[in-house]
Each structure stands twice: as C-alpha cells, then as structure tokens.
Amino acid sequence: MPDGMSGAASGSDPAGTDVSAVPARGPVIAGVGFRHATTPDEIAALVRDALGQARLAGARLGGLATAEDRAGEAALQEAAASLGVPVIGIAVEDLRAAGRRAVTRSARIETLRGVGSLAEAAALAAAGPEGRLVLARIASPGATCALAASGDPS
C-alpha cells in the first residue's frame, strides 16, 4: 500500500491531535500519492471518500496535488478530469518543506521521496504556507489521499 497505510486513517494524527477540527476555508486541495498501476476510478473514488470523511462538498475541491514528476500520469489526469479540477505538480523542494508539517509517516515514502507522506506534503504545499490539514492521509489499495485548505477565506 502506498505511504505504508493499511487502511483509512482516523481524524487524528499519531499524537492524537484531531485534524478534522481544523476549519476548512477556501478551496480544499487533495494531495494524492499513487502506484503506477492505480486506475483513475480508484483515485477519484478515494478523493470522494476523503471529502465525505471530512464532510466537505465536492464543489469545494480546488485540485489534485502530487509530486511534479507524477503530475502528468494518465491515471491522475483522468481522475482530475472526472472530478472537474486541475492537477497541481509540486516540486521536490516544496514537498520536503511542506512535509515537515505532515502528521503521518511512511518509512518507504520517506526513503523514496524525503517526506513522511506524499499525499499530506502535496496537499499542504498546494494549500500554501498557511495551509492546514483537514483530513490526514487515508488509503486505498493503490493510492493515498490527504486534504488541506488554505488559511484564506473564500
């Protein structure tokens, strides 16, 4: 499983902080990590599940963020198109900077990407410096997703 997840995460980080209590203002960004064989339907379903777990309307989704080197992959592009949002590619240095604010860790992803959770780092980086996690990483068999929102009202 990507990011070392074995199932859906609760609304709290390993320290017990309830990230779902963070108010979501403005558009929500879904950070996505995925394996090469993951289908667009699986990615889109996981994003919808994340939005449902966070009790956010799909219309609030502002984009799917991932590592810059994976942003052009067909599965992610098709999932984004089905959700009606753009794909946002995040540069390695921005992933690593935002990754310091991630709440979950995967040794495998840490080794591969230099961040504990690609999904959380991508969501946080795309949401900006004031971005906060709305939903910590959840997983399906081939993908992970986390949600972040900026501190800017809209």
Side-chain angles (χ1 to χ4, degrees):
M1 222 172 262
D3 280 355
M5 270 313 267
S6 60
S10 70
S12 61
D13 69 21
T17 305
D18 186 1
V19 296
S20 62
V22 176
R25 297 181 297 180
V28 173
I29 302 296
V32 178
F34 59 101
R35 294 185 185 272
H36 287 285
T38 307
T39 66
D41 289 341
E42 182 179 344
I43 294 169
L46 184 61
V47 171
R48 286 186 194 101
D49 184 34
L51 290 166
Q53 286 188 38
R55 296 181 184 95
L56 298 170
R60 296 199 53 174
L61 186 63
L64 303 186
T66 197
E68 193 170 54
D69 65 323
R70 300 295 306 277
E73 299 230 4
L76 187 65
Q77 290 288 328
E78 290 176 35
S82 76
L83 294 165
V85 297
V87 171
I88 304 162
I90 307 295
V92 171
E93 57 273 8
D94 294 332
L95 282 174
R96 290 184 179 154
R100 291 191 285 271
R101 297 184 284 144
V103 297
T104 58
R105 295 270 179 259
S106 161
R108 184 176 81 78
I109 295 303
E110 190 111 43
T111 299
L112 291 172
R113 294 281 181 179
V115 296
S117 167
L118 176 62
E120 290 179 9
L124 287 164
E130 299 301 316
R132 298 287 180 259
L133 281 178
V134 175
L135 182 72
R137 178 186 71 196
I138 64 169
S140 66
T144 58
C145 180
L147 301 176
S150 72
D152 298 330
S154 73

